[in-house]
Amino acid sequence: QVQLVQSGAEVKKPGSSVKVSCKASGDAFTSYGVSWLRLAPGQGLEWMGGINPFSGTTNYAPEFQGRVSIIADESTSTAYMELNSLRSEDTAVYYCARGGFCGGGTCFLFDFWGRGTLVTVSS
Amino acid sequence: EVLMTQSPDTLSVFPWERASLSCRASQSVSIDLAWYQQRPGQAPRLLIFGASTRATGIPAKFSASGSGTEFTLTISSLQSEDFAVYYCQQYHSWPWTFGQGTKVEIK
């Protein structure tokens, strides 16, 4: 069973940055990829971006391009998501999840999730 | 990007009754459609993929159908643990997108 353990809640000022970590048990990311998603109050789930296991590249959703950075440290099985230029609308629960990519006729959906990290942006 | 719209926003159902949730895509997503359940305070859980295939460990009380732009998730004989928010998600076109969710609450 894959487990994804995320870092704790954060409170940030507008304009600052936040970095959230996601440590996986076993080889969760290399073969399946890892994605970051968020759930803001009153909104639906949003896919922010992730590391594509088929290409080895990092892909970002257009609305987050340029403001988010996702990396993975394979030696520690840990993925990181850093979001910059925070604004109040970024207040949300941020999730890491295994999967999020298709390639070669196979799709890896979001089958394992972290418990979420609450990021509050407030002055 | 593909816009996913779920209806209703909230569905009030008596325990042991059946619930039917709808999801509509702004353009065809074939059968590249998944459903997730999110209980309060928990992470989402994959229920259905391929529009109608239950994920590993998901009981038969969850069934789903549809293709193209119209999809349905049906939950039979609702029990306390089934009252949650349900999301549909398309993976036909990049970026993958979710509906806004349907909250199934106790009537």
Side-chain angles (χ1 to χ4, degrees):
Chain A
Q1 184 82 345
V2 174
Q3 288 191 322
L4 305 178
V5 179
Q6 296 186 222
S7 50
E10 303 262 13
V11 179
K12 294 292 182 178
K13 300 285 189 187
S16 66
S17 299
V18 68
K19 190 171 186 177
V20 183
S21 67
C22 170
K23 183 172 175 58
S25 60
D27 176 23
F29 301 152
T30 305
S31 299
Y32 297 87
V34 60
S35 291
W36 286 89
L37 305 95
R38 76 178 188 182
L39 182 62
Q43 307 293 316
L45 285 162
E46 289 182 279
W47 179 79
M48 301 175 66
I51 300 174
N52 188 328
F54 299 98
S55 64
T57 60
T58 305
N59 304 134
Y60 300 108
E63 56 264 49
F64 295 101
Q65 184 78 43
R67 207 161 66 93
V68 68
S69 175
I70 294 171
I71 61 172
D73 181 345
E74 291 184 15
S75 67
T76 60
S77 297
T78 303
Y80 300 89
M81 184 282 297
E82 184 170 26
L83 186 61
N84 304 309
S85 303
L86 289 169
R87 36 201 186 236
S88 59
E89 308 90 89
D90 295 317
T91 294
V93 178
Y94 290 78
Y95 295 97
C96 62
R98 190 177 81 163
F101 297 93
C102 292
T106 299
C107 288
F108 295 132
L109 299 179
F110 307 117
D111 57 354
F112 291 98
W113 297 66
R115 295 179 66 89
T117 297
L118 175 62
V119 175
T120 303
V121 182
S122 174
S123 55
Chain B
E1 67 182 43
V2 180
L3 179 65
M4 306 300 293
T5 303
Q6 293 183 240
S7 61
D9 288 335
T10 303
L11 184 62
S12 298
V13 184
F14 286 110
W16 304 108
E17 286 193 334
R18 184 176 67 180
S20 290
L21 290 63
S22 295
C23 174
R24 175 175 292 178
S26 60
Q27 63 191 71
S28 176
V29 297
S30 185
I31 59 168
D32 299 328
L33 192 285
W35 289 93
Y36 296 82
Q37 174 196 64
Q38 186 171 30
R39 296 169 175 153
Q42 296 188 16
R45 175 174 71 143
L46 177 65
L47 296 177
I48 301 285
F49 63 93
S52 62
T53 303
R54 284 187 299 277
T56 302
I58 302 303
K61 66 185 306 180
F62 293 95
S63 62
S65 63
S67 65
T69 62
E70 301 284 343
F71 301 88
T72 300
L73 173 70
T74 300
I75 313 165
S76 63
S77 188
L78 277 149
Q79 299 182 7
S80 57
E81 62 266 26
D82 302 325
F83 291 96
V85 179
Y86 293 83
Y87 296 96
C88 62
Q89 176 239 324
Q90 67 82 19
Y91 52 99
H92 185 75
S93 302
W94 188 87
W96 294 2
T97 49
F98 290 82
Q100 82 281 12
T102 290
K103 181 180 181 181
V104 178
E105 64 177 23
I106 299 175
K107 191 170 185 178

